[in-house]
Amino acid sequence: MTVRVEGRGKVTGAARYPSDIPLDDVAYAYLVTSAIARGTIESFDLDAARAVPGLIEIFTHENLAGAYKTPAGPLGGANTTSLESAKIWHDGQIVAVVVAETYEAAREAAYRVRVAYVEERPSSTFDSPGTETKAACEVDEGHDDPHTGDPERAFAAAAVKVDAWYETPIQHHNAIELFTTSCAWSDDGKLTVYEPSQFVHGLRSRVARQLDMKLEDVRVVSPLVGGGFGGKSSGGHRTALIALASRRIGRPVKLIATRDQGFTIATYRAETRHHVRLGANKEGKLEALIHEGWEITSRPSDYFNGGTDATARLYACPNVGTKVSIVHADRNTPGFMRSPAEFPYVYALECAMNELADELGVDPIELRRRNDATAEAIQNLPYTSRSLMKCFDEAAAAFGWKDRDPRPGSMRDGDWLIGWGCASTMYPANGGASSARVRLHADGSVRIETAAHELGQGTCTALAMIASERLGVGLEKVDVVLGDTNLPPAGLAAGSSHLSSVGPAVSLACERILKRKRDGASGTLEEYAEYFPAGVDRGAVKRIENGIPSIEGGVLDDRAQYAYGAELVEVRVHERTREIRVPRIVGAFAAGRILSPTTAHGQLMGGLIWGLGSALLEKTEIDERAARYVNDNLADYRVAVNADAVRIDVIVVPEEDTQVNALGVKGIGELANTGTAAAIAAAVHHATGKRVRHLPIRIEDLL
Ligand code: MOS
């Protein structure tokens, strides 16, 4: 078993996260955030705050407006603003940055800042008055709603139908590491930013644009990230504000935003709504699949996830219709969160598939088998590999699925009603351009340098394993240095694409070293390599420096590449209290070659546990009158813990894929959490006969 190479540093406390890096003469920042969701700031009363001993300066739009440019949203385009004007876009928007000699003084002064607002009535979510709905293809010229055949007519004519609405809630990443930023300027005007980031070159380019600086005058340092899940991929408003504060006071400034502020100063997963219509013939073959989705976004941003790219291509079906719409409300701008598009959309489709199986009286695994495909449904592109039914076969055997009595409420153990449910999972096999430098020293030690990211997902270990295997040196001889814009550019650590992007670059550099050795070279051998996956041109490494990660996957010109899995769950619902427990989950996944079995297992198991939490626990509650998040802390925002995850079995189904990329690997970081909620919803129905079509499923839904 391979250890986690950065694990020792983490458990001994030697590991340095960005906010742990000591800075001389540092001052501390504390944020003041908006108490209203819509309106304008009328005035500030700062007298009481200024009286706090140790206060250095208070920054508001009154002294910062014009000093920096609005950061774009997660996919570019418009975004909410902070400290640029008196305008309030959402609750919890940054309205002041208080800087003092100590954290405590900054916090004390921040609490004494008084803000007078002119308040307007906010629109908080779906069905609130004043929201504005637009079609995704209307706001994004590049967006195409997948479509084939004549789905409306096929649905109308189908022998067996499901027509249902589903909803997923607001969710926040809640990584254990908070959103932090420290900034320091050199005497010659160069800026160093210490901030946990899933894309250091992206953050650098964004800050340089905001502050009108040259790229080479900004450095971003993020050696380790204490959990990201997408929330540290696009950069928030705070970085430029802390950089400006630091420049104005002539000292380094450190910000550690609080847990509740993290709910509104960063991105999150917005709530979604789905209308799914499935039509099948009597044999259970799909004849129509229509998936319409709605997603909340902020007022100015056109951000959306658009997961019908995935759901239109999961099964064989001659008539497919989809449409994605966005709904503008007075909220902070959402963004990526673990399986951003696939989690909500595949949940909806897989719930509908399970309902269709019940309508047909067909076993839900058998229904997937009857609709398995060798090419995706929209353009008829062949899959590079697809082992979905092999995953179901292995998972079903391990689970004992053949003993399932299909009648709802038919299986029980004392007071506990037992339900068994299943779902497919899928995730695009993505890859992006990346570069890396590898040095083999004369003593046999190796150093890998790349601006890639370790979020806990195993990048360090997997890259070390590649070099160890290629160069024939022990794993303990390999040093992995990551997360710094001074290193060769690597792509965004997102879209489950990181290893399939950075791994081949490291592998190529190792091969070049081996070739030089074979040619007789000795001493220290250093090689730099760039990797470009299919569909990505040679300019892509250069573009990373400009903040463009060039990730491709899912559907390419000539093929479709996805990873698949099957998830089977047992749910127990107490007959009287309606308490819901999940005593076991079996997940079987096929994702090409598995480079690092230990960290892969961790990723897949973690995904299943995340999926369990999303099914039964996770939800950010919103006060609809105030458009304000209510449970913005780890006590009230519930996630799955050890006691919830009783028995989780992960099966890796061997799969060879020679087309997907040079290493034959598919991403796994977001594969496992994609189907779990639908499997649990089906199991709850099997146990109780109650169909719950929203998440999370709670006791009150089963009373
Ligand atoms: Mo992941 S949400 O693509 O960081």
Side-chain angles (χ1 to χ4, degrees):
M1 191 174 85
T2 303
V3 296
R4 194 179 268 273
V5 297
E6 85 287 9
R8 187 182 168 81
K10 284 180 172 174
V11 298
T12 58
R16 289 266 164 91
Y17 293 82
S19 64
D20 299 329
I21 295 168
L23 297 170
D24 284 340
D25 194 31
V26 69
Y28 293 85
Y30 199 96
L31 303 176
V32 180
T33 56
S34 170
I36 67 163
R38 182 185 166 108
T40 49
I41 298 168
E42 194 172 51
S43 62
F44 292 97
D45 176 353
L46 304 178
D47 291 348
R50 289 201 187 284
V52 172
L55 181 92
I56 298 171
E57 186 53 280
I58 300 171
F59 298 97
T60 69
H61 72 275
E62 291 178 350
N63 56 8
L64 270 197
Y68 87 117
K69 294 190 202 104
T70 304
L75 295 177
N79 198 356
T80 60
T81 55
S82 297
L83 270 58
E84 268 196 74
S85 72
K87 171 126 183 117
I88 299 295
W89 295 100
H90 63 88
D91 179 74
Q93 173 182 319
I94 301 170
V95 297
V97 180
V98 178
V99 181
E101 294 291 342
T102 63
Y103 177 80
E104 291 75 14
R107 181 176 58 188
E108 172 71 18
Y111 286 170
R112 294 185 186 202
V113 168
R114 291 285 165 263
V115 189
Y117 300 97
V118 179
E119 190 173 356
E120 295 166 33
R121 187 195 163 91
S123 311
S124 62
T125 183
F126 293 127
D127 306 327
S128 301
T131 57
E132 192 188 358
T133 302
K134 288 185 201 147
C137 54
E138 198 185 312
V139 299
D140 176 2
E141 278 180 19
H143 177 79
D144 207 6
D145 288 314
H147 183 99
T148 190
D150 189 345
E152 292 290 346
R153 208 176 67 176
F155 178 75
V160 182
K161 297 179 200 192
V162 168
D163 181 337
W165 290 77
Y166 303 92
E167 288 197 15
T168 65
I170 308 167
Q171 296 178 342
H172 281 79
H173 313 81
N174 276 306
I176 291 301
E177 180 192 37
L178 297 166
F179 293 102
T180 75
T181 299
S182 305
C183 290
W185 293 81
S186 66
D187 292 339
D188 58 349
K190 295 192 166 141
L191 169 67
T192 305
V193 177
Y194 305 86
E195 179 175 312
S197 171
Q198 295 174 235
F199 190 24
V200 288
H201 279 92
L203 181 57
R204 178 177 76 162
S205 119
R206 177 185 177 96
V207 170
R209 271 181 282 131
Q210 286 181 259
L211 300 179
D212 203 14
M213 292 174 68
K214 291 202 207 100
L215 285 178
E216 58 267 31
D217 290 342
V218 182
R219 178 183 173 199
V220 175
V221 179
S222 176
L224 286 174
V225 181
F229 313 121
K232 289 164 183 160
S233 54
S234 51
H237 294 239
R238 69 189 190 278
T239 318
L241 300 177
I242 298 303
L244 282 172
S246 172
R247 187 160 70 187
R248 291 263 176 103
I249 70 161
R251 286 169 64 177
V253 173
K254 176 186 282 198
L255 168 74
I256 298 176
T258 58
R259 174 67 56 186
D260 61 306
Q261 289 170 346
F263 276 65
T264 59
I265 67 163
T267 58
Y268 61 103
R269 193 197 302 282
E271 59 273 48
T272 68
R273 185 175 271 181
H274 306 261
H275 184 201
V276 183
R277 285 174 286 162
L278 299 180
N281 66 20
K282 289 216 169 66
E283 287 71 52
K285 284 212 180 250
L286 284 172
E287 289 183 337
L289 186 161
I290 306 171
H291 190 167
E292 297 162 275
W294 290 261
E295 307 179 22
I296 289 286
T297 185
S298 66
R299 280 291 173 194
S301 171
D302 290 333
Y303 177 84
F304 63 92
N305 294 308
T308 51
D309 277 339
T311 54
R313 294 180 167 90
L314 184 45
Y315 297 111
C317 182
N319 301 289
V320 178
T322 67
K323 185 176 179 189
V324 172
S325 299
I326 59 174
V327 178
H328 293 285
D330 298 302
R331 296 270 298 282
N332 50 322
T333 303
F336 309 138
M337 182 163 159
R338 201 170 187 177
S339 320
E342 295 74 15
F343 168 78
Y345 284 80
V346 173
Y347 155 76
L349 175 64
E350 287 298 284
C351 282
M353 284 295 281
N354 286 326
E355 295 197 35
L356 181 64
D358 292 345
E359 286 294 324
L360 284 157
V362 169
D363 178 88
I365 296 178
E366 177 57 24
L367 180 66
R368 269 91 180 171
R369 195 181 312 279
R370 290 182 194 175
N371 292 285
D372 195 18
T374 51
E376 55 81 33
I378 305 302
Q379 291 144 272
N380 202 34
L381 298 169
Y383 298 111
T384 57
S385 56
R386 171 169 157 125
S387 310
L388 177 65
M389 292 321 300
K390 263 191 221 151
C391 291
F392 269 110
D393 291 343
E394 293 217 14
F399 190 90
W401 186 262
K402 64 176 179 4
D403 297 331
R404 181 177 184 266
D405 182 333
R407 294 167 301 151
S410 62
M411 295 168 64
R412 62 190 297 155
D413 177 6
D415 288 341
W416 292 92
L417 307 171
I418 296 174
W420 289 0
C422 71
S424 305
T425 71
M426 74 176 316
Y427 197 81
N430 292 321
S434 276
S435 64
R437 190 159 48 227
V438 177
R439 206 178 299 136
L440 172 64
H441 297 104
D443 67 358
S445 64
V446 175
R447 186 179 165 94
I448 300 171
E449 296 179 342
T450 172
H453 310 87
E454 175 59 77
L455 287 74
Q457 85 277 42
T459 308
C460 288
T461 306
L463 295 183
M465 287 177 76
I466 290 170
S468 160
E469 184 193 306
R470 288 283 191 278
L471 299 175
V473 302
L475 198 64
E476 72 290 346
K477 294 220 138 195
V478 185
D479 245 345
V480 185
V481 184
L482 306 178
D484 188 327
T485 49
N486 283 351
L487 301 172
L492 170 67
S496 301
S497 70
H498 212 38
L499 186 55
S500 58
S501 313
V502 188
V506 169
S507 182
L508 275 172
C510 291
E511 275 160 32
R512 286 180 192 164
I513 288 175
L514 285 177
K515 179 167 188 316
R516 281 176 61 193
K517 267 181 87 170
R518 280 196 302 271
D519 293 347
S522 61
T524 296
L525 301 177
E526 180 182 297
E527 285 290 337
Y528 165 86
E530 296 183 347
Y531 170 71
F532 305 95
V536 175
D537 68 274
R538 301 266 145 180
V541 166
K542 193 72 207 151
R543 281 202 299 277
I544 293 172
E545 304 211 25
N546 294 317
I548 301 162
S550 300
I551 292 175
E552 292 291 336
V555 177
L556 303 184
D557 288 343
D558 57 343
R559 57 181 131 142
Q561 45 187 49
Y562 291 89
Y564 294 93
E567 300 187 0
L568 276 50
V569 305
E570 176 173 322
V571 158
R572 291 185 173 220
V573 179
H574 194 275
E575 189 173 26
R576 280 181 287 277
T577 67
R578 313 310 268 179
E579 180 186 354
I580 311 165
R581 302 292 298 167
V582 180
R584 62 192 180 115
I585 302 179
V586 176
F589 306 97
R593 188 173 161 224
I594 301 296
L595 283 175
S596 167
T598 308
T599 53
H601 187 268
Q603 284 277 73
L604 293 167
M605 177 178 277
L608 289 169
I609 296 169
W610 178 299
L612 190 171
S614 71
L616 300 178
L617 303 166
E618 269 198 71
K619 180 183 186 185
T620 305
E621 303 284 355
I622 190 166
D623 177 340
E624 292 195 16
R625 295 158 305 176
R628 160 168 286 213
Y629 304 134
V630 178
N631 52 337
D632 50 1
N633 59 75
L634 281 184
D636 298 318
Y637 185 92
R638 301 182 61 217
V639 296
V641 297
N642 298 27
D644 297 301
V646 180
R647 176 159 179 195
I648 313 277
D649 290 329
V650 171
I651 299 167
V652 173
V653 176
E655 181 181 71
E656 189 177 310
D657 190 323
T658 53
Q659 279 175 281
V660 64
N661 51 47
L663 293 178
V665 303
K666 297 176 178 176
I668 48 172
E670 291 157 292
L671 176 60
N673 69 309
T674 298
T676 332
I680 288 175
V684 166
H685 173 261
H686 184 226
T688 64
K690 275 226 177 194
R691 202 65 87 173
V692 181
R693 297 190 179 92
H694 61 255
L695 298 177
I697 302 167
R698 289 174 166 163
I699 288 173
E700 56 264 37
D701 297 313
L702 302 180
L703 292 176

